[in-house]
Amino acid sequence: MAECGRKALSLLEAARSRYESLQISDDVFGESGDDSSENPFYSTSADSNSENYTSESYSDEQRAGDFSSNQPGCPTGSMSNCQAEDEDWSDNLREITVRPYSETSGPCQKMPATASAIDFFQLFVPDNVIQNMVTQTNMYAKKYQERFGKDEGWINVTLSEMKAFLGYVTSTSIHHCESVLSIWSSGFYSNKTIALIMTQSRFEKILKYFHIVAFRSSQTTHGLYKIQPFLDSLQQSFESTFRPSQTQVLHEPLIDEDPVFITTCTERELRKRKKRKFSLWVRQCTATGFICQIYVHLKEGTNIDAVDALKNKPQLHSFVAKQLCQSLSGKNAVIFTGPSITSLNLFEEFEKQEIYCCGLLSTRKSDCTGLPPSMLTNPDVPQVRGQYKTKMKGSMSLICWYNKGYFRFLTNAYSPKKQGVIIKRKSGEIPCPLAVEAFAAHLSYICKYDDKYSKYFIFHKPNKTWQQVFWLTISIAINNAYILYKMSDAYHVKRYSRAQFGERLVRELLGLEDCSPTQ
């Protein structure tokens, strides 16, 4: 047992050493517990399933199909084309180098040690943005009453009331209650301390008329017109307050329903819950978890958008990737992508803009145009764990690596001659190309981020799509605010956890600055 313990410890130390060499910050949320105390990139626990996030699951039937002589992308009678594609790729590997990142990373401004939670939050949602919510809400209430009759209980909302309104809804991310109205109830989620700031009836009136853009312009055709000005303002603030590291990832963050709530829902309650009518992609810094850019796409039939002309998912995902990376041209950034985005055509286009890529490839989900068919089929002979094959075309490398299944990667960001290692407690060191290790390290960190991020969703569930997008992006802004707080001098004065930071923000939005979060 002692020998096993020493071996596990040595593996953990080796993992930490390699992880630190990748310059990725550890556990930005600073939570206690197993998730935060262990290495966020390499599994050192026996029951870990972290390998699953990159593997294509193969059933016996699928595996048998992959072993067949028919190669993907090679219709009957077109084998000569496939052979030509194979000839474009060579087994002769050469070194490649990525030029240094052209920007320094980190916060763009130094916050004082006395800065509070609301100071960090208002880097993204300042008073002028909240004041616009006040103006638009009052305008909508006036127009609504002109059309449907006067509301005797309504008086125009003020800036302080709007902040309190935001605070009440934000509190659902800390206490995980499904209805914000639970604050005024006598049940488990009641909170008499903050309930005294505003009456329930007043909150419901503001909720009824709340708007970011009260009226549609005659020139507006975009389905997100009711929230687009806020999204534009939020994006500008993300760019002006933080510069990401060289390594970034494009992905769809975890925005599903809370698993605990889902398991306690009755079938009738679940049927009543509407499916989301939008999808959200982000560009995220892998060194800190800071979300640098967001892109919201309304699903088919809900908006008039140029993206609607893109009829298949690879085209849509390629379009989204280009939108998210517009500001990275010429900076030598390294982008990690999942199977839905990874494609040779996109990576070559990015390379012309001095954006380098490393992506997981799937024969079922990815656009495999231009890739050698011989690398997209599994060999008949079982492989040894850690064995891999690489082909190159120009600076692009296509890797097929075996680890309890076949994993394929496309990259021009890492030299195919450089070796890496995946460290597992059970299996020890598994050899791999450096690109595979880097992908596993950075994407595993983002998975850890998403696991923690999902705990701090705003749980308020409006029916209107623009409101769903609004509260989701507010959640992202609060998480970004906490990341900046942890990187500032203020964190060394009062070390709040993410939950404490959220509670503190709620109190400050409600005007209870002198109240400290529960320790």
Side-chain angles (χ1 to χ4, degrees):
M1 291 294 291
E3 184 179 352
C4 292
R6 285 193 295 271
K7 182 180 179 182
L9 182 60
S10 65
L11 286 173
L12 178 59
E13 291 302 323
R16 284 177 176 162
S17 176
R18 295 191 67 83
Y19 138 74
E20 288 169 358
S21 73
L22 290 170
Q23 299 181 347
I24 308 175
S25 66
D26 188 8
D27 186 31
V28 73
F29 282 108
E31 303 289 346
S32 59
D34 294 338
D35 282 350
S36 61
S37 61
E38 293 184 359
N39 186 285
F41 309 121
Y42 298 91
S43 168
T44 53
S45 60
D47 58 350
S48 172
N49 62 352
S50 62
E51 289 177 345
N52 295 338
Y53 73 90
T54 58
S55 79
E56 291 186 60
S57 58
Y58 287 86
S59 65
D60 292 339
E61 293 80 9
Q62 289 169 329
R63 192 180 299 278
D66 284 335
F67 287 164
S68 66
S69 59
N70 291 330
Q71 296 176 340
C74 295
T76 304
S78 63
M79 288 301 295
S80 59
N81 292 335
C82 294
Q83 290 170 355
E85 285 184 352
D86 258 4
E87 290 173 1
D88 292 337
W89 293 78
S90 171
D91 292 321
N92 297 323
L93 308 183
R94 61 184 181 82
E95 290 283 355
I96 63 169
T97 56
V98 174
R99 284 180 288 179
Y101 193 43
S102 61
E103 288 193 347
T104 56
S105 60
C108 296
Q109 65 182 86
K110 184 178 177 63
M111 296 293 285
T114 55
S116 61
I118 198 170
D119 293 327
F120 290 96
F121 174 69
Q122 294 211 291
L123 291 173
F124 309 117
V125 189
D127 275 350
N128 66 310
V129 171
I130 302 177
Q131 182 59 53
N132 180 68
M133 299 178 195
V134 171
T135 303
Q136 296 296 321
T137 298
N138 289 334
M139 287 172 59
Y140 180 80
K142 179 181 179 182
K143 194 71 175 179
Y144 184 93
Q145 292 175 57
E146 288 175 355
R147 182 174 181 181
F148 297 105
K150 186 171 178 60
D151 185 344
E152 298 295 342
W154 172 255
I155 56 174
N156 280 348
V157 66
T158 64
L159 179 64
S160 60
E161 283 184 314
M162 186 58 73
K163 285 184 178 181
F165 172 78
L166 296 176
Y168 280 125
V169 180
T170 300
S171 70
T172 63
S173 67
I174 308 302
H175 303 291
H176 295 182
C177 55
E178 177 66 9
S179 172
V180 65
L181 300 181
S182 300
I183 293 170
W184 292 274
S185 71
S186 57
F188 179 78
Y189 291 112
S190 64
N191 191 329
K192 300 302 181 185
T193 303
I194 64 175
L196 297 175
I197 303 302
M198 181 184 291
T199 65
Q200 179 178 340
S201 60
R202 179 58 174 166
F203 174 85
E204 290 183 276
K205 290 292 184 184
I206 299 175
L207 182 63
K208 176 181 178 180
Y209 296 118
F210 176 66
H211 266 73
I212 307 296
V213 175
F215 310 112
R216 180 197 292 263
S217 166
S218 58
Q219 290 81 27
T220 301
T221 58
H222 198 286
L224 288 172
Y225 78 93
K226 284 196 172 185
I227 194 177
Q228 195 61 54
F230 175 77
L231 295 179
D232 293 341
S233 171
L234 197 64
Q235 185 56 56
Q236 291 174 6
S237 65
F238 287 169
E239 293 175 356
S240 63
T241 56
F242 184 82
R243 290 184 293 266
S245 66
Q246 182 176 23
T247 53
Q248 299 165 45
V249 62
L250 308 182
H251 73 118
E252 290 184 78
L254 180 66
I255 55 175
D256 292 329
E257 300 286 4
D258 174 48
V260 176
F261 176 77
I262 288 297
T263 57
T264 58
C265 268
T266 64
E267 289 187 11
R268 181 180 178 184
E269 288 174 326
L270 286 175
R271 285 196 299 269
K272 289 170 61 179
R273 304 181 71 80
K274 296 182 178 180
K275 291 183 178 180
R276 283 189 293 107
K277 295 181 180 179
F278 67 93
S279 54
L280 180 139
W281 284 270
V282 301
R283 176 166 55 84
Q284 191 167 8
C285 172
T286 64
T288 60
F290 189 96
I291 290 179
C292 314
Q293 188 168 350
I294 57 179
Y295 183 88
V296 181
H297 170 59
L298 295 184
K299 295 181 180 179
E300 189 174 356
T302 57
N303 71 320
I304 303 172
D305 197 309
V307 183
D308 289 340
L310 306 174
K311 298 301 181 184
N312 59 63
K313 285 188 176 181
Q315 281 184 310
L316 170 62
H317 294 164
S318 177
F319 176 86
V320 170
K322 293 173 186 177
Q323 295 297 308
L324 289 172
C325 294
Q326 283 182 337
S327 62
L328 295 182
S329 181
K331 295 182 180 179
N332 304 317
V334 175
I335 299 298
F336 295 92
T337 64
S340 63
I341 293 178
T342 302
S343 76
L344 178 62
N345 291 335
L346 178 65
F347 283 14
E348 288 179 337
E349 186 173 338
F350 276 162
E351 188 173 24
K352 295 175 183 176
Q353 303 173 37
E354 298 179 328
I355 301 172
Y356 301 92
C357 305
C358 181
L360 180 65
L361 194 71
S362 166
T363 56
R364 291 170 290 165
K365 296 181 180 179
S366 304
D367 178 4
C368 297
T369 304
L371 300 178
S374 62
M375 290 287 286
L376 303 179
T377 54
N378 298 333
D380 296 325
V381 180
Q383 302 294 298
V384 177
R385 194 174 189 187
Q387 189 173 351
Y388 59 90
K389 182 180 180 181
T390 306
K391 283 182 176 289
M392 283 195 80
K393 177 184 177 183
S395 60
M396 203 71 63
S397 300
L398 178 58
I399 302 166
C400 181
W401 176 67
Y402 182 79
N403 180 25
K404 293 185 178 179
Y406 291 94
F407 297 77
R408 294 174 176 85
F409 298 85
L410 186 65
T411 181
N412 60 355
Y414 296 92
S415 172
K417 287 191 170 184
K418 291 186 178 179
Q419 302 298 307
V421 63
I422 301 293
I423 302 176
K424 299 289 182 182
R425 173 172 290 177
K426 271 190 171 182
S427 310
E429 296 185 356
I430 305 170
C432 66
L434 180 62
V436 175
E437 179 189 2
F439 184 93
H442 290 280
L443 267 292
S444 181
Y445 178 72
I446 294 302
C447 288
K448 289 285 185 180
Y449 173 96
D450 279 350
D451 287 343
K452 293 180 182 295
Y453 163 79
S454 63
K455 296 178 183 177
Y456 302 105
F457 273 158
I458 289 177
F459 271 52
H460 173 61
K461 306 297 182 186
N463 287 327
K464 295 180 179 178
T465 298
W466 74 265
Q467 292 185 7
Q468 293 172 11
V469 174
F470 174 76
W471 295 115
L472 175 60
T473 52
I474 286 289
S475 298
I476 291 174
I478 296 173
N479 277 330
N480 278 353
Y482 182 70
I483 291 170
L484 294 183
Y485 159 73
K486 282 208 70 176
M487 300 175 73
S488 73
D489 293 337
Y491 179 70
H492 300 291
V493 176
K494 293 183 179 180
R495 292 176 175 264
Y496 295 135
S497 68
R498 174 61 181 83
Q500 291 172 326
F501 181 86
E503 187 173 346
R504 180 70 184 179
L505 175 61
V506 169
R507 292 174 181 271
E508 291 176 358
L509 285 169
L510 291 168
L512 302 172
E513 299 90 348
D514 56 331
C515 297
S516 300
T518 304
Q519 300 296 325

